């Protein structure tokens, strides 16, 4: 067990290689994510077997209670999450390197919920936050996600090995809408340039305004583009219609998965189905890379009344619902923890 020395180029490369290539690798465990979150502190813990990294725990810290720090391992750790003894040792290693005012280390690995795993973490001293949390915003990351599985899962599903098989995996009306977009002249490009980000941001702001939600500043996405440009792990997809960008999406390629993380659209052009065209190209990207999963991101619940689910499910209606274990909280300071969770109750 060790703390990553960011001045040790060889070890940083090994750490990043593991995070990017392990089947359960996640962009939020990459040290670049710590650079993106420039106002957060960070510590990077790794475990080795025979000199090879086989588990990592990236913990970012931010003041979440007056004078006290939350330590958050977004979608981490990466490794054998059933080896709870090892996970606890990694947490203790992190705490030794972090400031004394950390009140909580929160994990939320992308691993399926099970009563067995939930009970095991509770018995090991963790507080688990999953099925008792009814609002999707009651957790930092949504616990219920729509996922398309290229390897074929669920009733009526078969492995997807071609674009034709991918198209027929969707609901019929979704196939028609993708074809309608192409017929109308919608063209989707992809890239990782500053111009791509700026075009994405215009539609992102429109979508946020239409939904009356807050959004991140342009500087955040420009920094993201700067950090990941040229890695092949990050792409911006833009749907163009008559010289105008009408829909967009940002995806990350880590491990066995494409994670569709951000999107935007101009509702004035809804009849041209730009968002469907964007998804088609992003899903083809995952297929071309031989991915196992395409993660559409979180939903409030797996019901048609949920707007996010309604859109995403049409691409993955053969696929089983993805319900993750949720947050695994290692509490260091109970008073700070109780103050913190008030905002989620």
């Amino acid at each position: 067990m060790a703390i990553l020395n960011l001045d040790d180029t060889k070890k940083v490369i090994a750490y990043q290689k593991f995070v990017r290539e392990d089947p359960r690798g996640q962009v939020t465990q990459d040290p670049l994510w710590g650079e993106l979150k420039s106002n957060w502190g960070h510590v990077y813990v790794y475990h080795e077997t025979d000199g090879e990294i086989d588990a990592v725990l990236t913990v970012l810290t931010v003041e979440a209670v007056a004078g006290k720090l939350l330590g958050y391992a977004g979608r981490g750790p990466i490794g054998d999450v059933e080896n709870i003894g090892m996970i606890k040792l990694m947490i203790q290693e992190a705490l030794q390197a972090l400031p004394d005012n950390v009140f909580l280390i929160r994990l939320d690995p992308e691993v399926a919920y099970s009563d067995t795993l939930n009970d095991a973490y509770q018995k090991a001293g963790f507080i688990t936050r999953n099925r008792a949390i009814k609002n999707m915003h009651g957790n930092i990351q949504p616990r219920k996600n729509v996922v398309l599985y290229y390897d074929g899962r669920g009733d009526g599903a078969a492995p997807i090995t071609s674009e034709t098989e991918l198209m027929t995996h969707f609901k019929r009306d979704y196939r028609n809408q993708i074809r309608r977009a192409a017929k109308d002249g919608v063209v989707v490009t992809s890239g990782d340039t500053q111009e791509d980000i700026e075009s994405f941001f215009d539609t992102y702001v429109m979508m946020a305004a239409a939904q009356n939600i807050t959004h991140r500043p342009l500087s955040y996405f420009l920094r993201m583009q700067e950090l990941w440009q040229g890695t092949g792990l990050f792409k911006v997809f833009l749907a163009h219609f008559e010289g105008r960008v009408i829909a967009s999406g940002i995806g990350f390629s880590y491990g066995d998965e494409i994670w569709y993380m951000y999107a935007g659209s101009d509702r004035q052009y809804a009849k041209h189905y730009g968002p469907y065209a964007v998804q088609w190209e992003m899903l083809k990207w995952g297929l071309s890379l031989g991915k196992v999963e395409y993660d559409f991101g979180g939903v409030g619940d797996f019901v048609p009344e949920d707007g996010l689910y309604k859109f995403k499910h049409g691409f993955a209606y053969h696929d089983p619902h993805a319900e993750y274990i949720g947050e695994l909280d290692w509490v260091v300071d109970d008073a700070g923890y109780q103050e913190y969770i008030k905002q989620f109750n």
Side-chain angles (χ1 to χ4, degrees):
M1 210 74 63
I3 300 294
L4 180 65
N5 177 2
L6 294 177
D7 293 325
D8 184 342
T9 303
K10 183 177 179 181
K11 190 60 72 175
V12 170
I13 290 172
Y15 191 105
Q16 288 186 310
K17 185 175 188 294
F18 176 77
V19 169
R20 296 173 179 186
E21 297 181 3
D22 184 81
R24 302 316 306 167
Q26 297 288 339
V27 62
T28 46
Q29 289 290 291
D30 191 319
L32 287 184
W33 198 257
E35 292 189 48
L36 178 65
K37 302 284 189 178
S38 58
N39 60 324
W40 293 55
H42 50 74
V43 66
Y44 308 102
V45 183
Y46 62 91
H47 179 272
E48 291 181 309
T49 300
D50 298 328
E52 296 292 327
I53 294 177
D54 57 10
V56 304
L57 178 68
T58 293
V59 180
L60 304 185
T61 59
V62 68
E63 185 176 291
V65 172
K68 298 180 181 181
L69 298 176
L70 160 70
Y72 178 50
R75 284 196 166 186
I78 307 301
D80 182 3
V81 296
E82 295 187 1
N83 188 346
I84 300 177
M86 179 190 69
I87 301 301
K88 289 177 70 172
L89 288 174
M90 295 180 79
I91 289 172
Q92 293 305 321
E93 188 79 15
L95 286 170
Q96 290 181 32
L98 289 170
D100 293 337
N101 61 336
V102 170
F103 69 89
L104 168 67
I105 300 292
R106 169 167 285 177
L107 319 179
D108 66 354
E110 191 182 86
V111 60
Y113 174 88
S114 74
D115 289 338
T116 300
L117 187 61
N118 186 62
D119 292 347
Y121 269 92
Q122 288 182 351
K123 289 176 182 176
F126 289 80
I127 295 173
T128 63
R129 303 183 74 253
N130 39 57
R131 290 187 165 177
I133 309 299
K134 302 303 182 184
N135 187 321
M136 71 177 289
H137 300 296
N139 298 106
I140 295 177
Q141 295 283 352
R143 230 178 34 82
K144 298 177 179 179
N145 284 37
V146 171
V147 177
L148 180 145
Y149 297 95
Y150 295 98
D151 58 355
R153 306 181 193 182
D155 294 338
I160 299 168
T161 61
S162 68
E163 291 183 8
T164 298
E165 291 171 350
L166 178 61
M167 180 67 85
T168 57
H169 189 83
F170 311 149
K171 281 187 174 181
R172 181 184 298 274
D173 58 335
Y174 279 48
R175 300 198 295 267
N176 291 338
Q177 286 154 0
I178 292 167
R179 293 174 182 133
R180 172 62 186 273
K183 184 178 179 181
D184 287 354
V186 175
V187 175
V188 179
T189 61
S190 64
D192 63 1
T193 68
Q194 179 177 328
E195 290 77 14
D196 291 323
I197 284 292
E198 289 169 346
S199 295
F200 152 80
F201 190 75
D202 289 341
T203 61
Y204 170 67
V205 171
M206 291 178 196
M207 184 189 69
Q211 297 180 358
N212 195 29
I213 58 176
T214 59
H215 62 79
R216 294 189 180 278
L218 176 60
S219 58
Y220 179 85
F221 295 103
L222 290 175
R223 180 60 173 156
M224 180 185 290
Q225 178 268 330
E226 179 184 8
L227 289 168
W228 273 274
Q229 185 178 33
T231 64
L233 305 171
F234 159 85
K235 276 192 178 185
V236 184
F237 290 77
L238 303 171
H240 305 258
F241 176 73
E242 295 184 346
R244 183 184 183 93
V245 174
I246 63 171
S248 62
I250 289 178
F252 280 93
S253 166
Y254 272 68
D256 280 347
E257 178 183 270
I258 296 293
W259 184 3
Y260 164 54
M261 187 177 287
Y262 292 101
S265 63
D266 185 341
R267 290 190 175 182
Q268 294 183 71
Y269 296 88
K271 67 180 181 180
H272 300 296
Y273 299 107
Y276 294 83
V278 166
Q279 287 304 314
W280 172 232
E281 295 300 325
M282 293 183 74
L283 284 155
K284 288 196 294 182
W285 179 39
L287 177 65
S288 71
L289 295 176
K291 296 296 184 179
V292 177
E293 301 178 15
Y294 181 98
D295 187 345
F296 287 90
V299 298
D301 209 347
F302 301 122
V303 294
E305 293 77 20
D306 183 281
L308 289 171
Y309 177 75
K310 185 177 180 181
F311 172 70
K312 297 172 181 181
H313 177 61
F315 294 99
Y317 77 109
H318 287 297
D319 302 277
H321 295 147
E323 180 189 359
Y324 301 130
I325 190 67
E327 293 163 348
L328 309 172
D329 287 353
W330 185 258
V331 178
V332 181
D333 173 355
D334 188 63
Y337 182 67
Q338 295 303 323
E339 182 66 24
Y340 174 66
I341 62 172
K342 284 180 182 178
Q343 63 186 294
F344 300 106
N345 295 333

